[in-house]
Amino acid sequence: MLKFVVRRLLLLVPILFGLSVLLFVWLRALPGGPAQALLGERATAESVARIEALYGLDEAWYVQYWKFVSAAVQLDFGNSARTNRPVTEEMLRTFPATFELAIAALIFAIGIGIPLGYFAARKYGSWLDNLSVSGSLLGVAVPVFFLAYILKYVFSVKLGWFPTQGRDDPRIDADHPTGFYVLDGIVTGNLEASWDAIMHLVLPAIALGAIPLAIIVRITRASVLDVVHEDYVRTAEAKGLQERTITRRHVLRNALLPVVTVIGLQAGLLFSGAILTETVFSFDGVGRFIAEAISNRDYAVLQGFILVIAAMYVVVNLLVDVSYGLIDPRVRVR
């Protein structure tokens, strides 16, 4: 297993190198540039040349690429052209918000999706099964931004149960040493701030987790339906084993393999940022920050953030592969 993990981590090098080349070419192919985005209608040939010289954009492309790669190896991605702050500082500011939102969305999707998919399969053809299938189709079909606006209008504007935007109430005096607001409230003993952060997470997490929930329900249902008709399950039932034992040892253990794959893929997507959800709820996370960087042609931010997100995606999928070995001993033996 250790050799497998090391081999997969070494694959990060060619992946990130190839991605860095594609990023560099793609960004330079976009119309406009950081100078035009910063100056807007006031842009003149002299001011554009001055900005490009300031950020080294007037140098040859291979010189720019070499400077970018040599600095990126040291985790130095330069400064944002829009905020003039180091990109690493922007990462430390925005990634905790996105991680917190993604974890909340995954808890919502997994906590409801796996039990609902399992019971829908065990009650095949019942009203619960039909409801879960219809609900999963609806969850995939409804656009995220539309669901987010509906949730915001009904539960925030009309009913007033949840906050409308942001990560916390500015009236609450709270310290944020880690950037994870829920955890910060617990660590500092400010439970009011922690509860307030949870309330701000509920609606964005439901909107963001709706599609993963629908996918997990369908995959779990289909996988359980396949497993319950296997010979080893019928043999266990014929031996008179308790249903709880059959479910734990035979059904779920084998049915979870494809579910884990889907969860890993969805987790990688969620951790990369949710532009629409973060925009609707004014959530200051990675997705919203990258969207602003694209509109401002902020090369340093886009190159740094996308490379880090790609590395995270590979690591998440590595964790999925490792979890296979923990669930299925046959994979671990191989």
Side-chain angles (χ1 to χ4, degrees):
M1 182 65 73
L2 180 59
K3 291 182 179 178
F4 170 76
V5 173
V6 173
R7 188 166 62 249
R8 288 292 297 272
L9 288 177
L10 289 176
L11 285 175
L12 268 175
V13 177
I15 290 174
L16 293 180
F17 172 73
L19 182 60
S20 67
V21 174
L22 292 176
L23 270 175
F24 187 86
V25 174
W26 169 64
L27 289 175
R28 270 64 182 179
L30 291 175
Q36 286 83 354
L38 285 172
L39 297 173
E41 297 179 354
R42 299 170 299 171
T44 61
E46 294 78 11
S47 59
V48 169
R50 189 166 54 252
I51 295 294
E52 289 181 345
L54 177 64
Y55 289 101
L57 300 175
D58 57 340
E59 299 176 329
W61 64 268
Y62 52 86
V63 175
Q64 295 183 48
Y65 179 74
W66 172 251
K67 287 184 177 181
F68 161 62
V69 172
S70 58
V73 172
Q74 307 173 45
L75 298 181
D76 179 11
F77 301 103
N79 289 356
S80 168
R82 183 170 62 88
T83 64
N84 202 31
R85 295 177 58 188
V87 174
T88 50
E89 288 187 9
E90 299 290 2
M91 290 181 181
L92 294 175
R93 181 180 65 84
T94 56
F95 269 109
T98 295
F99 284 176
E100 199 170 51
L101 177 57
I103 291 171
L106 283 175
I107 292 174
F108 167 72
I110 296 172
I112 297 177
I114 292 180
L116 183 58
Y118 170 78
F119 287 114
R122 299 296 277 180
K123 304 292 184 181
Y124 179 74
S126 65
W127 66 269
L128 179 62
D129 183 32
N130 294 328
L131 181 63
S132 65
V133 172
S134 302
S136 62
L137 289 173
L138 184 63
V140 174
V142 175
V144 174
F145 71 91
F146 180 76
L147 178 60
Y149 276 119
I150 292 297
L151 291 174
K152 185 176 181 179
Y153 178 74
V154 174
F155 295 101
S156 295
V157 178
K158 287 296 184 181
L159 298 178
W161 291 355
F162 299 98
T164 56
Q165 62 182 8
R167 297 184 65 194
D168 63 346
D169 189 338
R171 295 171 297 181
I172 297 179
D173 185 17
D175 296 324
H176 303 295
T178 68
F180 296 89
Y181 284 13
V182 176
L183 178 62
D184 290 337
I186 297 174
V187 170
T188 59
N190 192 344
L191 298 183
E192 181 186 5
S194 183
W195 176 252
D196 177 67
I198 292 174
M199 295 297 288
H200 279 81
L201 276 173
V202 171
L203 294 184
I206 293 175
L208 186 60
I211 292 180
L213 169 63
I215 296 174
I216 290 172
V217 169
R218 293 185 65 84
I219 296 297
T220 304
R221 175 182 176 274
S223 183
V224 171
L225 283 175
D226 288 338
V227 171
V228 294
H229 294 102
E230 294 289 344
D231 292 338
Y232 54 83
V233 175
R234 287 199 292 264
T235 301
E237 292 174 345
K239 288 182 177 180
L241 293 179
Q242 295 181 355
E243 184 177 353
R244 181 175 57 185
T245 303
I246 296 174
T247 299
R248 186 180 68 254
R249 293 184 180 179
H250 300 288
V251 177
L252 282 180
R253 194 178 185 91
N254 292 280
L256 281 179
L257 286 175
V259 178
V260 168
T261 303
V262 171
I263 291 174
L265 293 173
Q266 293 298 317
L269 293 174
L270 294 179
F271 287 139
S272 64
I275 296 177
L276 297 177
T277 305
E278 291 176 0
T279 301
V280 171
F281 291 98
S282 299
F283 214 82
D284 196 8
V286 172
R288 187 182 178 195
F289 193 73
I290 290 179
E292 294 174 352
I294 292 175
S295 62
N296 288 282
R297 305 294 189 270
D298 200 337
Y299 292 168
V301 169
L302 293 173
Q303 291 173 159
F305 271 70
I306 293 176
L307 280 179
V308 171
I309 288 170
M312 288 169 42
Y313 195 86
V314 173
V315 171
V316 168
N317 281 274
L318 172 61
L319 294 176
V320 171
D321 293 337
V322 172
S323 65
Y324 261 59
L326 300 176
I327 296 175
D328 192 342
R330 296 171 298 178
V331 179
R332 186 164 61 247
V333 170
R334 293 195 186 99

